[in-house]
């Protein structure tokens, strides 16, 4: 330890110190592009579970499309009560679009939103419970980068799942001759992205404030189901028509039949971003317990 | 700016009755500072407040001149941190974790990480869920040291380590000191603090009760003495010898079992040894007290061991009602 080099200034490249010395006198560190580094890490770590989600959702969609030629004639929806048909957006089963709306897209967000919800609940509250935040946040990674990279990584994963679903639906329809337009398939699938991200972001906000993963996940799931029921009721009960605007599902609509509702999609994305920003601000200030 | 770490009446209260009160510390650059205290005394709270995980209720603290409450990201660029519970993503291997942290810290070389792994005999290529607690802790030590930060903060770093790895760890701390790095580590193992720390802070119930040189710390307390007399058959018999030792200043808890005499020496050891030199002995053992006993001395929890014998021990000012 005779060659002591005391660091006076942060040095960007440690290798210059290393050259020509028997051992590193002092390695120098500063701060990497922590946001990009952690985002890349998250995408890599979640790639397998994203793939499993994508394959499961796409396989389910493909089965429905493949079954459509036989399903369409077998189910006579005209016998269903009008109210129920309206509430569940069931029109006729002899076309592929309403069939997919009923069998898949009507409740896809209820299932798919669990991906962002579990990811967000685990990233902050779950990590705090497991005691892993101390290790991670002991690095130069700022808290806001942790929250926002988690949000962005999940948004990217969800979008990838949606796109894959749309493509698989369209390819399957080609194979079985179900006459599903590419634009309709993609509109239906892409429309699931803003609503699942918005519903999931409720869990991100809760995860930033509460200290328990199960609470963040449970309350967010409760909010989602409450909104779904509210949307159903607002269509069935005349006096509740005003309440539909309180539910995210109202802005989701039925993109496979009506095309993507840009206004609704943008509104849901704005809600997601606002929730993520609020989560960031609150997480930035609060104490982290070990 | 000379102090690597400085706290000014640092106070953090949360929950019921937990936290730290008015901690004043100054740790110089290049100093190894040991932080000693029982579980729940506030060691982790102090370290975690310094790392910016919790905002001080009152008071302030700086690391390398930067405020811990507002500049933690910049501080983290220049520290290495091992929390009391080391865990991240258990599916990752040690190498994946080090690579991630090297990118977050913009460290271009992980040569030292490999050297650390080699010296600690750590397995970097196995997922951490497959590692025992001690082997996982080695990864934790590596990630705290591999970038050779200016300040190293370690919470119970040797927990779960086998004796060999504990020894290596102490060598690593001495190496860090040699490079001019500052080390602040908590422990409840007196011997390891004694070996590497320049100074020791003792914390009890959220208050810093003493800051000492480690040898002063153990020097201020008593010694366990065990003497086995030779069975000569001549007077003085062991009973008479016991009475002679009992007359020395500061002898407590004296007991004779056959020809073996045991007592605690709180006074001048010279007198004990002079007297022992006049006897026929088989063996004589002099042992420092255990950490628990040192704590008892400092914490004043055991009234009998305190008065008169150790007059220079700082007593808890308010007097604790225990």
């Amino acid at each position: 330890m005779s060659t002591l080099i005391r660091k006076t200034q942060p040095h960007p490249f440690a290798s210059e110190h290393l050259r020509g010395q028997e051992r590193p006198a002092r390695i120098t560190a500063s701060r990497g592009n922590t946001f990009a580094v952690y985002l890349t890490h998250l995408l890599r770590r979640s790639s397998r579970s994203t793939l499993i989600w994508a394959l499961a959702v796409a396989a389910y969609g493909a089965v429905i499309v493949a079954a459509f030629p036989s399903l369409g004639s077998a189910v006579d929806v005209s016998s269903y009560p009008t109210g129920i048909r309206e509430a569940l957006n069931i029109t006729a089963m002899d076309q592929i679009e309403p069939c997919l709306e009923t069998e898949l897209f009507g409740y896809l967000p209820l299932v798919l939103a669990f991906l962002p919800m579990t990811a967000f609940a685990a990233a902050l509250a779950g990590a705090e419970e497991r005691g892993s935040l101390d290790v991670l946040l002991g690095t130069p990674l700022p808290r806001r980068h942790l929250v926002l990279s988690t949000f962005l990584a999940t948004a990217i994963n969800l979008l990838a799942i949606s796109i894959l679903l749309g493509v698989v639906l369209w390819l399957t329809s080609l194979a079985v001759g179900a006459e599903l337009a590419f634009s309709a398939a993609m509109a239906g699938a892409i429309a699931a992205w803003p609503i699942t991200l918005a519903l999931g972001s409720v869990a991100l906000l809760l995860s930033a404030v509460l200290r328990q993963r199960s609470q963040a996940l449970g309350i967010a799931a409760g909010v989602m189901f409450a909104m779904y029921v509210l949307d159903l009721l607002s269509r069935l009960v005349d006096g509740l028509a005003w309440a539909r605007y309180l539910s995210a599902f109202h802005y989701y609509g039925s993109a496979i039949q009506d095309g993507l509702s840009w206004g609704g999609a943008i509104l849901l994305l704005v809600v997601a971003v606002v929730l993520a920003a609020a989560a960031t601000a609150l997480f930035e200030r609060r104490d982290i317990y070990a | 700016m000379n102090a690597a770490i400085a706290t000014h009446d640092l106070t953090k209260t949360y929950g019921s009755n937990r936290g730290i009160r008015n901690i004043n510390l100054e740790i110089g650059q290049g100093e190894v500072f040991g932080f000693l205290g029982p579980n729940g005394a506030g060691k982790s709270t102090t370290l975690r407040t310094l790392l910016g995980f919790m905002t001080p209720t009152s008071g302030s603290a700086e690391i390398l001149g930067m405020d811990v409450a507002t500049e933690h990201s910049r501080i983290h660029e220049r520290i290495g941190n091992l929390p009391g519970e080391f865990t991240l993503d258990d599916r990752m291997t040690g190498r994946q974790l080090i690579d991630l942290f090297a990118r977050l810290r913009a460290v271009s070389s992980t040569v030292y990480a490999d050297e650390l792994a080699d010296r600690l005999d750590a397995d970097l290529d196995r997922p951490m869920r497959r590692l025992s607690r001690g082997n996982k802790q080695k990864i934790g030590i590596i990630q705290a040291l591999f970038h050779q930060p200016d300040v190293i903060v370690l919470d119970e770093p040797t927990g779960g380590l086998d004796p060999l790895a504990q020894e290596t760890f102490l060598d690593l701390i001495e190496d860090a000191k040699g490079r001019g790095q500052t080390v602040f580590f908590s422990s409840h193992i007196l011997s390891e603090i004694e070996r590497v720390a320049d100074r020791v802070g003792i914390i009890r119930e959220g208050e810093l009760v003493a800051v000492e040189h480690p040898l002063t710390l153990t020097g201020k307390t008593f010694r366990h003495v065990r003497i086995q007399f030779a069975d000569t058959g001549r007077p003085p018999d062991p009973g008479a010898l016991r009475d002679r030792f009992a007359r020395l200043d500061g002898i407590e808890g004296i007991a004779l079992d056959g020809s073996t005499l045991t007592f605690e020496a709180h006074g001048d050891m010279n007198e004990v040894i002079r007297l022992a030199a006049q006897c026929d002995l088989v063996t004589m053992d002099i042992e420092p007290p255990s950490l628990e006993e040192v704590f008892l001395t400092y914490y004043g929890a055991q009234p009998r061991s305190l008065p008169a014998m150790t007059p220079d021990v700082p007593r808890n000012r308010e007097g604790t009602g225990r």
Side-chain angles (χ1 to χ4, degrees):
Chain A
M1 223 58 55
S2 53
T3 54
L4 261 189
I5 296 180
R6 287 303 314 277
K7 187 170 74 177
T8 48
Q9 290 274 305
H11 203 290
F13 300 108
S15 54
E16 290 186 25
H17 278 269
L18 299 180
R19 216 168 290 141
Q21 298 208 6
E22 57 188 42
R23 62 174 295 155
R26 276 295 283 278
I27 291 171
T28 54
S30 55
R31 175 200 288 196
N33 184 347
T34 50
F35 184 81
V37 167
Y38 198 64
L39 177 65
T40 311
H41 166 76
L42 286 177
L43 288 173
R44 197 177 298 163
R45 298 305 301 175
S46 60
S47 57
R48 188 191 294 184
S49 69
T50 303
L51 190 66
I52 291 169
W53 268 92
L55 291 178
V57 171
Y60 180 71
V63 166
I64 292 170
V65 175
F68 168 70
S70 50
L71 193 73
S73 50
V75 182
D76 180 16
V77 294
S78 57
S79 61
Y80 289 15
T82 317
I84 297 292
R85 288 205 318 241
E86 278 174 14
L88 295 173
N89 258 333
I90 301 169
T91 44
M93 282 296 191
D94 51 358
Q95 283 178 301
I96 180 73
E97 290 89 354
C99 173
L100 277 173
E101 173 60 32
T102 311
E103 301 292 331
L104 176 65
F105 289 115
Y107 57 86
L108 178 65
L110 290 178
V111 179
L112 198 53
F114 275 95
L115 179 131
M117 280 185 194
T118 49
F120 291 154
L124 307 178
E128 184 175 22
E129 274 185 317
R130 297 194 312 122
S132 63
L133 278 181
D134 275 26
V135 181
L136 188 59
L137 294 176
T139 72
L141 179 74
R143 293 187 192 186
R144 62 182 182 282
H145 286 189
L146 168 62
V147 182
L148 293 175
S149 60
T150 303
F151 178 74
L152 191 57
T154 307
I156 290 170
N157 287 338
L158 276 176
L159 188 59
I161 293 169
S162 302
I163 290 172
L164 185 84
L165 173 64
V167 170
V168 167
L169 290 180
W170 178 67
L171 287 176
T172 315
S173 77
L174 282 186
V176 301
E179 289 179 17
L180 176 63
F182 180 73
S183 60
M186 290 312 284
I190 300 286
W193 183 56
I195 187 171
T196 46
L197 195 57
L199 291 169
S201 296
V202 174
L204 185 60
L205 181 66
L206 293 167
S207 186
V209 179
L210 304 175
R211 298 177 197 282
Q212 283 179 29
R213 195 191 80 92
S214 57
Q215 283 183 1
L217 184 59
I219 296 173
V223 168
M224 175 175 74
F225 284 112
M227 283 185 166
Y228 185 74
V229 170
L230 187 68
D231 185 59
L232 285 186
L233 288 179
S234 69
R235 285 193 240 173
L236 286 172
V237 184
D238 284 343
L240 277 177
W242 57 272
R244 72 177 63 156
Y245 300 105
L246 299 176
S247 171
F249 289 88
H250 172 71
Y251 305 97
Y252 172 54
S254 175
I256 193 165
Q257 298 180 98
D258 311 331
L260 189 64
S261 150
W262 285 97
I266 289 169
L267 183 75
L268 289 169
L269 281 181
V270 167
V271 167
V273 169
V274 167
L275 287 171
T280 308
L282 292 168
F283 188 65
E284 192 86 1
R285 276 168 195 78
R286 84 154 157 97
D287 283 353
I288 292 165
Y289 294 164
Chain B
M1 191 274 295
N2 289 319
I5 299 172
T7 71
H8 316 284
D9 284 327
L10 188 67
T11 299
K12 176 68 192 178
T13 50
Y14 62 100
S16 56
N17 269 339
R18 294 173 69 199
I20 49 172
R21 280 185 305 280
N22 300 323
I23 303 279
N24 286 291
L25 265 182
E26 193 153 311
I27 301 174
Q29 295 199 8
E31 185 178 5
V32 177
F33 191 91
F35 206 30
L36 202 56
N39 293 336
K43 296 192 299 280
S44 294
T45 304
T46 308
L47 297 183
R48 299 187 74 256
T49 307
L50 283 173
L51 290 163
F53 298 141
M54 300 194 286
T55 312
T57 310
S58 65
S60 63
E62 296 106 48
I63 293 183
L64 302 165
M66 295 178 274
D67 190 297
V68 298
T70 56
E71 297 178 272
H72 35 84
S73 290
R74 278 185 59 217
I75 291 172
H76 291 169
E77 290 170 23
R78 297 178 62 187
I79 63 152
N81 159 48
L82 175 61
E85 188 83 16
F86 171 72
T87 182
L88 190 61
D89 179 347
D90 273 356
R91 293 167 304 169
M92 290 168 80
T93 65
R95 195 173 302 284
Q96 286 170 330
L97 183 134
I98 297 296
D99 285 347
L100 171 65
F101 281 20
R103 289 195 300 276
L104 287 170
R105 293 188 176 282
V107 174
S108 55
S109 162
T110 53
V111 172
Y112 189 51
D114 289 327
E115 186 191 322
L116 289 169
D118 201 40
R119 288 174 66 179
L120 285 164
D121 195 22
D123 186 347
L124 289 179
D125 297 313
R126 203 187 283 219
M128 283 183 280
R129 66 166 182 273
R130 301 254 175 82
L131 297 178
S132 68
R133 174 151 181 263
N135 282 329
K136 203 172 148 187
Q137 186 74 356
K138 292 175 184 173
I139 311 290
I141 290 170
I142 296 170
Q143 64 81 31
L145 302 181
F146 82 102
H147 53 297
Q148 300 183 342
D150 290 309
V151 176
I152 302 167
V153 179
L154 310 161
D155 195 357
E156 305 269 358
T158 55
L161 291 186
D162 58 80
L164 204 63
Q166 280 180 27
E167 201 59 30
T168 308
F169 167 77
L170 296 177
D171 291 343
L172 295 174
I173 294 304
E174 280 169 350
D175 288 358
K177 183 178 160 63
R179 278 186 215 99
Q181 294 167 268
T182 307
V183 184
F184 186 11
F185 78 109
S186 75
S187 176
H188 56 257
I189 301 169
L190 189 59
S191 59
E192 66 185 33
I193 283 198
E194 227 175 345
R195 200 186 115 186
V196 295
D198 298 310
R199 285 190 302 155
V200 189
I202 295 187
I203 187 166
R204 179 216 180 176
E205 290 178 6
E207 288 185 55
L208 193 66
V209 289
V211 176
E212 302 278 5
H213 188 276
L215 294 180
T216 317
L217 181 72
T218 44
K220 270 182 177 170
T221 54
F222 61 91
R223 291 289 182 274
H224 289 288
V225 181
R226 188 171 149 273
I227 298 173
Q228 194 182 351
F229 299 115
D231 186 11
T232 57
R234 302 185 307 269
D237 60 31
L241 290 169
R242 177 195 59 199
D243 295 340
R244 280 197 216 170
F245 277 98
R247 278 196 292 276
L248 295 176
D249 275 345
I251 300 300
E252 287 199 6
I254 196 160
L256 185 68
D257 178 15
S259 58
T260 303
L261 184 69
T262 55
F263 55 87
E264 292 172 8
H266 293 258
D268 188 356
M269 278 306 288
N270 286 310
E271 292 186 24
V272 175
I273 290 171
R274 256 182 235 121
L275 181 54
Q278 298 165 13
C279 311
D280 266 327
L281 305 185
V282 178
T283 58
M284 177 167 175
D285 299 313
I286 301 174
E287 282 176 2
S290 69
L291 179 65
E292 288 71 24
E293 290 166 317
V294 173
F295 278 163
L296 288 179
T297 308
Y298 270 82
Y299 294 170
Q302 201 176 46
R304 143 189 106 73
S305 65
L306 268 172
M309 324 306 177
T310 53
D312 49 346
V313 170
R315 303 291 305 275
N316 190 17
R317 287 179 301 279
E318 280 90 41
T320 60
R322 285 211 292 163

